[in-house]
Amino acid sequence: MPGPLILDRYRPLGTAGSGGSGTVQICWDTRIQRRVAIKRIPIPESSPDGSIPGLAEARTGAMLKHPNIVSVIDFETSGQEAFLIMEAIEGPSVAKLIDGTHRGEMDLDVVAAVVEAVGEALDFAHENAVLHLDIKPDNILIDRSGTVKVTDFGISELSCSQGFGSASGGTIGYMPPERMNGDDLDQRTDGFALAVVAYEMLTGRNPYNARDLAGSLRLMQGPAPEPVSRMRRDTLPELDEVLACAMDPEPGERFETVLEMVDELVPLLGSPEAGRQHLRALMEDDEAGEADEEPRLRHDDLWGRLSPRFRSVAGRVCCAILCWWTAALGLEIMNLLSTGGSMLLALAPAVAGAVLPGVGALAAVAFLGAGIVVNAAYPPWLGIALIALAVLWWGVAGRERTAAANAVLAASPLGLAWATPLVPLLAGFTLRPAPAAATALLQGGVVLALSGVTGTASMLHCGLAFSSAAAAPAALQAMLTDPATWISWLSWILVAVLVSALCSTESRVLSIVGIVAGCALLLAAQILAVFLAAGAWAPPALPWCASIGVCGFAALVLGFAGAPYRYKEEE
């Protein structure tokens, strides 16, 4: 049974949490008909300075109006209690997200979204001369729309003419040495705490957690925490450098402002927009009937059942094989594949592909382009154009790493199997719209080049037998003057973007809808090509229809296996 009304207005619905400063209850505002959160703070019978507990927090919160800061609505006292009335956030805290996620498997986009949002909230607070001083996963909440909110300015510090002073309170593991030593504080104190939160989200552990302040201080002054890139192969060493700087025990060695740290950190994590979409989808799933379970950023489908390490290793092995295949084609065009030294040379992109997939893919395509340039049977501009497209792809999508690399390199074996319609579907299924478009552009260039030099003269198929000097120019000219070539190539780019846009919702249903829509667009492009060639509407050639059907079915199998959650280790 609900208890009596609080302040003759608020009906208690449940307890959201409790701590040393009071208890937070979710209540129903009977006057305005909305949910609110009320922090109930006991008032001591006598206070040394005569202050009312919670009043400073209320004033600070009321002053900070920002979309990523929990709003303070009102402050009241009654008897020996103070009541801080705040915006109700019914979603989980970041602490619960960490607890509900297998260690080291938190999606990098989600980490990017949280870090960016908290950084913007802290930057706003700092601009208004307020330090939070208790940033930790419990004080970062996710509302039902997936928006990240910072709460609990209970021990915040407002600057005076002399700047910020020292402050008491805080949480062990997130306080830098200057907090524990009672030194003066500044923005770098909050920056340190946010960096520790980011490290904890990435690895599942707080490197400075200890039983007491002295133990935490010893950890901070001892060896540096284990680099994230050693625990997660889906991260870069540059991320370790940024975190090491942000968590340096010496304030002077850290970033001057939180915003400066966020600008360096977020691009190394992922896409904040994709992270917000991920959180929104997570909250919608939770609201639909999973509210009794801990929110999990790990999905119960085929992809979610595979461990991050398995996904990473499998993707890199596949990339290494495809890099060798593509580089070997380039050496074959140079008539060098039969030599032992050249065979070893072809392994260089393969090794690069296993370590840095994007670099390996770029090198492999460069091998292919160089082979076309060197062989006098083919026009050198074709190889140069292919290398230029590869460089462009690297700039836009190369840092997407494994997924983008494999999608590009798959163009050659799929072309050999008469399955090029699967090429843009793979790009859209595994990548975000911009990288997907760049990948489809390069995929089309690879297929065009290989179809031209092998004499197949079709965007549907490319062989392995390279044409003679007499046949190659004719095949290339036929392709370049055929509208079907350009229509097919353009349709690949459009299909990749369309499928990617629908798959980005991380909904299995919309992923399948995207694949079906992509196949329909591929079919429509071929119908248009037939019309331009024959001057009348007619169905496309049977090989095209059969290939689109088979490739569409294969892509649907991927969709039924689970929506593409774009794990960074897969990309």
Side-chain angles (χ1 to χ4, degrees):
M1 293 291 293
L5 294 182
I6 298 174
L7 301 174
D8 296 323
R9 174 175 175 178
Y10 303 102
R11 178 175 293 112
L13 301 176
T15 301
S18 61
S21 61
T23 300
V24 178
Q25 288 183 292
I26 301 298
C27 301
W28 181 256
D29 186 340
T30 59
R31 186 177 304 169
I32 304 182
Q33 301 292 301
R34 65 175 177 180
R35 288 175 181 262
V36 296
I38 298 182
K39 187 174 184 179
R40 305 181 65 162
I41 310 169
I43 300 177
E45 292 186 5
S46 60
S47 177
D49 55 2
S51 62
I52 300 176
L55 181 57
E57 180 180 358
R59 289 170 174 169
T60 301
M63 178 178 66
L64 299 175
K65 298 295 185 182
H66 189 274
N68 297 118
I69 295 177
V70 173
S71 301
V72 171
I73 300 171
D74 203 353
F75 182 82
E76 297 283 350
T77 61
S78 178
Q80 292 301 119
E81 270 192 307
F83 301 88
L84 179 63
I85 298 94
M86 303 174 290
E87 169 190 10
I89 307 298
E90 300 179 57
S93 66
V94 167
K96 288 186 176 180
L97 293 186
I98 294 173
D99 291 341
T101 306
H102 289 279
R103 178 174 290 189
E105 292 188 20
M106 181 78 75
D107 185 271
L108 293 181
D109 291 332
V110 169
V111 181
V114 171
V115 170
E116 182 182 72
V118 176
E120 290 177 353
L122 290 176
D123 181 64
F124 179 79
H126 296 166
E127 287 182 349
N128 286 273
V130 175
L131 297 181
H132 187 284
L133 301 182
D134 198 18
I135 291 295
K136 58 183 178 180
D138 289 293
N139 287 340
I140 304 171
L141 308 178
I142 314 296
D143 71 9
R144 288 298 179 187
S145 67
T147 302
V148 178
K149 299 270 190 176
V150 175
T151 188
D152 201 350
F153 280 79
I155 61 171
S156 61
E157 179 78 9
L158 187 66
S159 74
C160 60
S161 59
Q162 286 78 35
F164 294 102
S166 61
S168 60
T171 303
I172 293 175
Y174 304 94
M175 293 187 291
E178 66 266 23
R179 283 288 313 280
M180 293 183 277
N181 294 331
D183 299 332
D184 289 343
L185 312 175
D186 58 23
Q187 297 185 32
R188 293 170 292 190
T189 303
D190 282 339
F192 178 94
L194 179 55
V196 175
V197 170
Y199 187 97
E200 187 172 358
M201 292 182 73
L202 290 166
T203 65
R205 67 183 187 89
N206 183 326
Y208 303 129
N209 191 31
R211 292 186 177 183
D212 51 32
L213 290 176
S216 182
L217 185 59
R218 283 195 297 271
L219 289 174
M220 293 178 187
Q221 295 174 340
E226 184 178 359
V228 174
S229 63
R230 290 185 186 174
M231 293 180 278
R232 295 187 58 151
R233 297 190 62 181
D234 57 335
T235 58
L236 297 172
E238 290 85 350
L239 176 64
D240 302 328
E241 297 173 6
V242 174
L243 288 174
C245 176
M247 296 192 298
D248 195 289
E250 294 296 329
E253 299 298 322
R254 299 180 210 145
F255 294 100
E256 288 292 329
T257 67
V258 170
L259 200 58
E260 182 183 348
M261 181 193 77
V262 169
D263 288 343
E264 292 289 332
L265 186 58
V266 168
L268 298 172
L269 293 171
S271 166
E273 177 57 34
R276 286 188 286 270
Q277 291 178 1
H278 197 149
L279 288 171
R280 192 177 304 120
L282 180 70
M283 295 304 105
E284 289 173 355
D285 290 344
D286 186 50
E287 192 173 20
E290 300 176 6
D292 294 335
E293 300 180 2
E294 291 290 346
R296 290 187 178 270
L297 293 177
R298 192 168 188 259
H299 304 274
D300 189 22
D301 54 30
L302 176 61
W303 315 121
R305 294 190 186 102
L306 300 176
S307 70
R309 183 168 296 278
F310 177 83
R311 290 192 297 265
S312 176
V313 171
R316 290 167 185 268
V317 169
C318 181
C319 183
I321 294 171
L322 290 174
C323 282
W324 179 86
W325 168 279
T326 306
L329 288 179
L331 292 173
E332 175 65 18
I333 295 174
M334 299 180 201
N335 297 317
L336 294 175
L337 190 59
S338 59
T339 65
S342 296
M343 288 292 289
L344 290 175
L345 185 61
L347 291 176
V351 173
V355 180
L356 296 172
V359 174
L362 178 64
V365 177
F367 266 64
L368 183 60
I372 295 173
V373 172
V374 170
N375 194 319
Y378 312 122
W381 61 263
L382 180 62
I384 294 172
L386 185 61
I387 295 173
L389 286 178
V391 172
L392 175 64
W393 166 82
W394 165 254
V396 177
R399 294 186 181 275
E400 293 288 320
R401 304 199 293 175
T402 311
N406 284 332
V408 162
L409 299 172
S412 173
L414 288 176
L416 184 64
W418 296 76
T420 57
L422 188 56
V423 165
L425 295 175
L426 284 176
F429 190 80
T430 56
L431 302 171
R432 301 179 185 88
T439 299
L441 179 65
L442 181 55
Q443 288 170 328
V446 170
V447 172
L448 172 63
L450 288 175
S451 297
V453 299
T454 58
T456 58
S458 170
M459 292 293 285
L460 180 62
H461 172 58
C462 52
L464 285 177
F466 297 102
S467 303
S468 63
L476 283 170
Q477 184 176 3
M479 290 193 71
L480 295 175
T481 56
D482 185 357
T485 299
W486 305 104
I487 291 173
S488 296
W489 198 350
L490 177 61
S491 71
W492 288 9
I493 298 172
L494 296 177
V495 166
V497 173
L498 173 64
V499 174
S500 175
L502 289 172
C503 286
S504 291
T505 62
E506 297 182 357
S507 161
R508 186 177 306 189
V509 173
L510 287 181
S511 295
I512 293 171
V513 169
I515 292 167
V516 173
C519 291
L521 183 53
L522 289 171
L523 194 61
Q526 294 308 309
I527 293 174
L528 177 60
V530 170
F531 173 78
L532 292 178
W537 296 108
L542 181 60
W544 268 107
C545 293
S547 182
I548 291 173
V550 172
C551 292
F553 176 79
L556 284 174
V557 171
L558 292 176
F560 279 111
Y565 298 105
R566 292 167 167 76
Y567 291 105
K568 280 294 178 181
E569 60 269 25
E570 293 177 342
E571 297 177 1

